[in-house]
Amino acid sequence: MPTLLDLQESYPDAARAGLAASIKATTGDGVGDKIGAFFRSQVGARSLEPREGDDPDAVLSRAEAALGKGDIAGVITLVGALPDEGQAAMAGWVKQAETRLQAVKAVRALADSLNGN
């Protein structure tokens, strides 16, 4: 089972892949749009501070902030707001996060049952 630290350490690579796929999927048809998207995806530049907005970079910046607080469910929800291509690029990471989330829930349920709650 992945630890929270494992998820935090693997998130940047997953986020870059998700961002690149999302940019490619949402790029306009203009030459300038395509060139800009190409350079953004090649550089892998993304926001590291959480910011508002519905664009993939903003969504991923808030997801990373949630992950920093240990809010795995929040991260999974935010990643679900990406275009399908971005979600697909992050599917492996999300699966690991879901595994962690389910394990934590199971441990809490077991602890509650042992404590008579």
Side-chain angles (χ1 to χ4, degrees):
M1 173 185 66
T3 65
L4 178 59
L5 183 60
D6 291 336
L7 293 173
Q8 290 169 334
E9 288 178 346
S10 62
Y11 180 83
D13 287 339
R16 277 190 289 278
L19 181 60
S22 295
I23 288 170
K24 186 175 180 180
T26 59
T27 298
D29 291 331
V31 173
D33 293 332
K34 290 182 180 186
I35 291 172
F38 172 78
F39 284 114
R40 277 188 69 200
S41 65
Q42 293 302 307
V43 172
R46 59 184 187 83
S47 297
L48 299 179
E49 295 295 321
R51 63 183 187 81
E52 293 300 314
D54 294 332
D55 64 280
D57 188 37
V59 169
L60 290 168
S61 72
R62 292 193 307 276
E64 187 162 16
L67 183 59
K69 296 175 184 173
D71 181 7
I72 296 170
V75 177
I76 293 169
T77 298
L78 285 163
V79 169
L82 293 175
D84 291 343
E85 294 83 354
Q87 291 179 47
M90 293 188 72
W93 187 92
V94 169
K95 184 176 180 182
Q96 291 294 310
E98 288 170 341
T99 298
R100 172 72 187 174
L101 187 61
Q102 293 305 316
V104 169
K105 286 180 182 179
V107 168
R108 285 184 185 148
L110 178 61
D112 286 347
S113 72
L114 293 175
N115 291 324
N117 293 336

